Structures are given as structure tokens and as C-alpha cells.
Amino acid sequence: MTTRTCCVCLGAGGILAAGLVGGLAAYLQGGPAAAAQGRPDQFRYIPADAHLVAFADVRAVMTSDLRERLQERQPEDDRSDFESRTGIRMASDIDEALVCLAPDPSDAASLLVMLSGRFDQQRLEALAVENGGTVSEYDGHKIIATTIGDSRLAMAFVEPGVLAVGSEALVLGAIGLVDGGDNVTANARLMTLFSKVDPGSNAWAVGDLDRAGSGAWMPEGLDPRALRVTAFSVAGRVNGGVRLTLQVETPDEAASQNLRDILQGFLALARMQADAQPEIAAILDSVQLRAAPEEYVVSLSMTLPTATVEWLWDQALEGAGGAGSVEPSLPRPSPGPEDPAPDRGGTTPPG
Amino acid sequence: MSAEAFSPPSFGRAVVRVFDLSLGEMLWSRRTLFMAVVAGGPVLIAVALRLAASSAAARFTGSAGGPSFALGGPDIFGLMIWAFYLRFTVPVLGVFYGTSLIADEVEDKTITYLFTRPIPRGAILVGKYLAYLACTSVVILPSVVVVYFSVVPLFGGSVGAGFPSLVADLGLIGLGLAVYGAAFAFVGARLRRPLLSGLLFIFGWEPVVVVVPGYMKNLTVAYYLQGLVPHAAPQDEAMTLLRSALRTFEPAPAAWICVLALVAIWVVTLGAAVRAVERREYVLER
């Protein structure tokens, strides 16, 4: 090998090595966390046997252009009621919300909500006590519990700025996980689903419906076993407009095909009825239905521009009778810069 | 040196000698200029994007009649890998270099000098093939790294978070070069007009067959290579159209099937190329 050939090879190798070393260094400095799909910190309070986990980057949603537009259309009274009672301003005080459903032998509800942000702890505890809550202590944490119907509900601050609300057993379990232990990250099934969540999503949910009782939360008539659905993940990016992606897993190829046919049928039916409603037709046109028969997965995605979401919001308010003054509006050209984006390198990139 | 003391080099040593000889020849040939242009295009685009983004400091947005969309740095990098490298650079380099490994020697009537050396004929092909891999890797892989660091940080992208994708992309391009190179080395060793056949394969056969329903797409390299692309395509309608233009087959097979198929193609075609070189009698035109 001549000297100049050797120099070229060394130079190219140097560029390659420098790039790989630089990328690896950046990855080790924060990439793994990002590559771990921006796992919420509150994952460590979620029990390993959870069968559904949902997350919302409340701060991102509340500071989005879409939310500001919708807020202008919402009655002022509705906005201030929650704030006046709890002292929590949704727009600025809550950063993230994590919800899980998990088996709980003592409580059929078995729901746990983890909220992180800035809370007036004393005010919230006083409010809970005023509403019949009883104060106790567990593992150094103040628990305020109450009974509603057959369910025992509780709330506790597991750490400053992190509030756990829900089934008493799950709240106690969350406190038990403060010092470590098997949490939902040890649940391989949910983590696999989680890894498929659309990148850049600021709200998502994953659910394992393959276990007995795991679909009990679903509305009556939507039995996952009857539909032959074993798992799902749904993700949304809210900013400017809304981009939604739903992935449903089935046990075999036939079930996958059947589910796709059912969804196609619904879409066709909806399109037939949407002729007189251009807004609905626009929504349906944005729907993309895909099937990966080899993986037994059916996915459905849609992108709703801001104007379409505003129209839907107006319809919802009119339906609720709360916005008589709202002018009916047609979808307008999207404002552009804040429309839903793929954002592979966004704030919660997947691993 | 007496005749009894001489022993022909082993297959491995012969491969190394041919590799050493061929690497310099390939690197300083006119083909390398072509390869530099092919590899330099994405780099220029990446640098231009970087400069445009720095000056504008604004999001890259566009619309195509439907809802508007925005691309982040990792998205742009993914599309560049997809469109520039995997769909064009890798197959084209595979054709130009792979078919020339033996065909050039035949055309230049220099193959006799190689075949009269006391080394296995197969070692000549393998040594040249490895030189092709080294030569193309030396030019293409650094350009991918430059594009990565130029494009990925744009519009909120993270160099660290995308690092696994970079490694996967580099591996994928290396695998593509290896498989296409082996396939066209066989074509070059077996057919009379290998370049024409190769160009017909990558610009005629593959793009057409992958859109035809049925099993025919299994007879392409692109089908399996594309199945391993780690970048999820953006979901917007306009991007879906773009994706459908670039990736014209759905759904992709599972990753392990793609890897297995590519390895099988590589082993079979390289083995067939070695066999063809060892058995075929090359008649030089006078």
C-alpha cells in the first residue's frame, strides 16, 4: 500500500472514528435517557404488574398553540373552578401526569394517578380532609384516605412536587417503591409496547389486554377478548394540531385481518355519511389504516390541523350547551409553524 | 532460490496481496472521482441545510396541498440515508465496482497476468472484492458521519439520542455495499456485459418489481435492505406520498428475515462468483 493510499485510509478512518466517538460521548451524556424514550421519572412508582399506563406531558400540551386557541373558546367559569378549589393552575402548575391501571385485590378501581409539578401541599391536604379524608402515616409519608362507594381512595406526596392519587393500595405501593423495587420498567410487555410509541408524542397510553381482567376498564360491549385484541398503544402529539397514532396487536394474522376489515368498514361507512360534512370528510381523509399481518398489528393514524380541532371543539361545546356564543367556524388554513410534526428528535424521543 | 524451496502462498495470504495491490488501484482510479461526486452530493446538501438553518434560525416547514408538516434534523437525516444512500449510492457503487472486479481485467486483457500467478483464482476475486469494500467504505461512511453531524442537530434534533440510528445506518450501508458488491461481482464474473445487466437490475428490475404484488420482490436486494431502515417515516400525508415514492413496497418483512436474506444473498453470490472465476475460461478479444 502506497503512502498516499495509507493517508487516505487513515484520514477516512479518523473522520469515522471521530464521528463515532463524538456520537457515543453525546449518547452517554444524555442519549441513553432520551433513547429510553424519555421514560417519565414517575415510572419508578408504577407497579410492575400494571396492565395500562398512560402519560401526558401536561406542560407541553398546555403551552401549545392549540390549547391557547381552544382556551379562547372555553367559558371562563369552567376554567377558574378547578383552580379556585385546589389552587392548581393547569396551565403552569402541572408538568406531567402519569396514570396506571393495575390489579388490586382490595379495590376494583385499581387506578393510580401520578402528578408532578408545583402544588400547595397544605391546601390540597386540607381540601381532602374537608371532603371526609382521614389522615394517617405510612413509611414516613402522610396519607389522606377516604372511602367512596366500595373503593378506598388515597392521596399522598411521594416526594416534593409528586402527588399520587388513586386506589389506596396502589398509593401505598407507590410509597413502597420510593426507595426502589420492581417497577413498571421491569414489565417487559408494557416496555415493548412503550418502545413503539410514536416519537415526539406528548401524550400516550399503552395497554396489555392479554391478561385476565386487564380489559375490565373498557366500556361495556368492547371486550378485548371478543375483539381478539391483545395489546394497544396510542400516541398523540398536540401542538398546533393533533396527530394521533393507534396501534393494536392481535393474537394471529386472521384476527389482524378481521380487525382491519372492521375498521375499514367503519371508515367506509363514515365516509358515506360525511358527504354533507366537509369537516368530517377532511378528518376521514387524514386517516391512514395500515396492517402488518406478519406482526399481527393494525395501526391507524390521523392528523388533524388546528382548524379541524377547533371545529370539533366547538361541536363538543355546542353539544354540551356551554358555548352558545361560539361562532361556528370552518376549518381554516393551518397556522404552520406549530402543526403536528414527526419530531423524531423531540422532547420524548423513543429508544 | 531453488524450485523445491518455493511454495505458493496460502489462500489468505494471496487475498491480502491482491487486496493490497487492488486497493491503491481502485482508490486512485477515475471511478473514485465518480464516487466522490456521489458521496459529496449529500454532504453538500447537508452543509447547505446547516448554513440555511443557521441563517434563518427557523423551522423547516412546507406543505403539499394538505396539512402542513415540519421536519426535524433526524427526519431529514433519515430521508437522506433513505433516498441518497440506500436507494442510489449503495446500488450504483455496487454495480460500478462489483461488475468491474473481473470484467475490467478481461477488458484490459490483464487478467492473464493475474491468472498466471501461483495463487488460487478465487483469491483474486476475494482480494479485489475486499478492496472494493474498503475503497467504497473509505469514501461513503465518513460522508454519512459528516451528514449526520451537519443535519441531525437541526431543528431540535439530538446527536446523542440519534447515535444508535447512526450506527445502524452505517452498518446498513456497509451491509448493502457488501451484498450488492457480491451480487455484481458474480454478474461481472459470469456475464459478458455486466455493467449493462447491473444497471438494468438496479434501475429497471428492482424499482419495478418491488411495486408488483406477489413474491417477485423477494428477488431483489432492495426489498430486504429497505426493511432494515431504522428510520420511521413521518406520518403526514405529504410525507406519506414522498415515502411511497421512495419506498414502494409495504409491508416490510421482519428484521431478522431481512438480515438472514441479505446474508444468504451475500454468501451465495460471492461463493458463486468465486466458483465462476475458478472454473470459467476467459477468452480475451484480440
Side-chain angles (χ1 to χ4, degrees):
Chain A
M1 195 181 295
T2 61
T3 307
R4 64 175 184 169
T5 302
C6 197
C7 287
V8 168
C9 292
L10 286 176
I15 293 172
L16 191 60
L20 289 174
V21 169
L24 181 63
Y27 175 72
L28 294 176
Q29 280 180 356
Q37 207 170 10
R39 287 178 178 174
D41 291 340
Q42 289 75 28
F43 260 10
R44 58 197 177 109
Y45 301 119
I46 304 299
D49 57 353
H51 47 246
L52 184 145
V53 178
F55 171 82
D57 184 346
V58 180
R59 191 168 184 79
V61 173
M62 299 306 282
T63 56
S64 68
D65 173 71
L66 176 66
R67 186 258 173 184
E68 287 176 10
R69 282 167 172 262
L70 296 183
Q71 192 184 28
E72 292 168 4
R73 295 161 177 263
Q74 190 173 359
E76 185 67 28
D77 291 346
D78 289 356
R79 270 184 271 163
S80 58
D81 184 50
F82 178 78
E83 182 180 330
S84 62
R85 294 189 65 190
T86 63
I88 297 173
R89 283 176 300 169
M90 289 286 285
S92 58
D93 289 343
I94 298 180
D95 293 334
E96 294 176 346
L98 188 67
V99 180
C100 91
L101 289 173
D104 175 7
S106 64
D107 186 353
S110 63
L111 174 77
L112 176 67
V113 179
M114 305 293 305
L115 298 171
S116 63
R118 290 150 295 283
F119 306 108
D120 184 343
Q121 185 170 344
Q122 291 180 337
R123 184 171 176 174
L124 285 175
E125 288 173 350
L127 182 65
V129 171
E130 277 175 24
N131 285 278
T134 55
V135 181
S136 61
E137 194 166 308
Y138 177 78
D139 203 12
H141 292 76
K142 186 190 281 186
I143 311 287
I144 301 172
T146 187
T147 303
I148 297 178
D150 296 332
S151 303
R152 283 287 291 172
L153 301 179
M155 63 167 270
F157 280 88
V158 292
E159 63 176 281
V162 179
L163 175 65
V165 184
S167 158
E168 185 178 34
L170 292 182
V171 171
L172 298 182
I175 292 171
L177 289 170
V178 168
D179 295 325
D182 272 354
N183 56 40
V184 72
T185 58
N187 186 326
R189 177 71 166 140
L190 280 189
M191 289 302 104
T192 303
L193 292 167
F194 180 54
S195 69
K196 295 176 182 172
V197 166
D198 199 21
S201 303
N202 41 32
W204 51 259
V206 293
D208 174 11
L209 304 174
D210 211 15
R211 283 188 283 166
S214 57
W217 55 274
M218 293 182 75
E220 201 169 332
L222 272 180
D223 182 359
R225 288 176 181 269
L227 289 171
R228 304 200 68 202
V229 170
T230 55
F232 76 93
S233 71
V234 59
R237 178 174 173 78
V238 180
N239 201 356
V242 176
R243 180 161 56 86
L244 290 172
T245 306
L246 169 69
Q247 290 195 15
V248 178
E249 290 186 16
T250 58
D252 52 44
E253 189 172 342
S256 168
Q257 292 285 2
N258 287 340
L259 185 62
R260 191 187 67 168
D261 292 345
I262 290 170
L263 291 172
Q264 272 180 333
F266 274 118
L267 285 173
L269 187 64
R271 283 196 177 98
M272 284 174 63
Q273 297 180 343
D275 284 346
Q277 293 267 29
E279 298 84 5
I280 301 290
I283 295 169
L284 293 172
D285 285 344
S286 77
V287 174
Q288 294 176 4
L289 183 64
R290 295 191 186 88
E294 295 89 349
E295 298 171 5
Y296 313 148
V297 172
V298 176
S299 64
L300 187 145
S301 62
M302 65 171 74
T303 303
L304 306 179
T306 304
T308 305
V309 179
E310 286 175 338
W311 180 81
L312 286 172
W313 184 256
D314 289 345
Q315 298 301 308
L317 289 179
E318 283 175 12
S325 61
V326 174
E327 293 179 11
S329 63
L330 292 173
R332 292 172 298 181
S334 181
E338 288 205 41
D339 267 342
D343 194 15
R344 287 182 56 78
T347 53
T348 55
Chain B
M1 183 186 295
S2 65
E4 290 77 17
F6 175 79
S7 62
S10 64
F11 189 90
R13 284 180 62 85
V15 166
V16 171
R17 293 295 298 275
V18 174
F19 168 80
D20 192 21
L21 181 74
S22 303
L23 181 60
E25 282 180 3
M26 282 187 193
L27 208 52
W28 303 109
S29 67
R30 275 179 293 179
R31 276 200 186 84
T32 307
L33 191 65
F34 165 74
M35 182 165 60
V37 171
V38 168
V43 174
L44 286 178
I45 291 172
V47 171
L49 268 175
R50 185 63 185 261
L51 292 176
S54 300
S55 59
R59 287 183 69 82
F60 177 81
T61 60
S63 65
S68 60
F69 61 95
L71 290 178
D75 299 300
I76 299 171
F77 177 69
L79 283 175
M80 290 179 78
I81 287 290
W82 199 339
F84 291 139
Y85 289 98
L86 291 176
R87 297 288 283 177
F88 182 74
T89 304
V90 168
V92 164
L93 292 184
V95 167
F96 276 91
Y97 279 87
T99 55
S100 71
L101 296 182
I102 294 298
D104 269 11
E105 301 287 350
V106 174
E107 193 177 321
D108 296 343
K109 301 182 180 62
T110 52
I111 198 161
T112 311
Y113 303 120
L114 289 171
F115 281 179
T116 52
R117 298 290 97 187
I119 54 175
R121 283 183 169 195
I124 296 170
L125 182 93
V126 174
K128 281 175 156 288
Y129 172 76
L130 292 178
Y132 144 76
L133 273 185
C135 182
T136 48
S137 301
V138 153
V139 178
I140 300 300
L141 298 188
S143 88
V144 173
V145 171
V146 172
V147 169
Y148 177 81
F149 279 93
S150 302
V151 168
V152 167
L154 300 177
F155 316 126
S158 164
V159 168
F163 179 68
S165 287
L166 171 66
V167 175
D169 286 333
L170 291 173
L172 201 55
I173 289 169
L175 185 61
L177 287 170
V179 176
Y180 273 113
F184 292 119
F186 169 67
V187 173
R190 200 74 188 84
L191 301 183
R192 185 168 286 276
R193 298 190 187 281
L195 185 58
L196 184 64
S197 309
L199 290 174
L200 279 175
F201 181 82
I202 61 167
F203 292 124
W205 173 260
E206 285 199 326
V208 171
V209 161
V210 291
V211 297
V212 177
Y215 65 90
M216 295 292 277
K217 53 181 170 283
N218 293 312
L219 301 175
T220 66
V221 176
Y223 177 64
Y224 302 108
L225 206 55
Q226 202 67 70
L228 291 173
V229 174
H231 299 279
Q235 298 296 317
D236 305 77
E237 282 182 13
M239 293 310 301
T240 303
L241 288 174
L242 178 59
R243 183 178 65 166
S244 60
L246 298 170
R247 182 188 183 186
T248 46
F249 36 79
E250 294 275 1
W256 68 270
I257 293 176
C258 295
V259 172
L260 206 62
L262 289 171
V263 170
I265 294 170
W266 178 66
V267 169
V268 169
T269 53
L270 193 59
V274 169
R275 187 182 164 88
V277 168
E278 284 180 341
R279 297 199 169 199
R280 188 176 172 194
E281 281 193 26
Y282 291 93
V283 181
L284 304 182
E285 293 177 1
R286 292 181 183 275

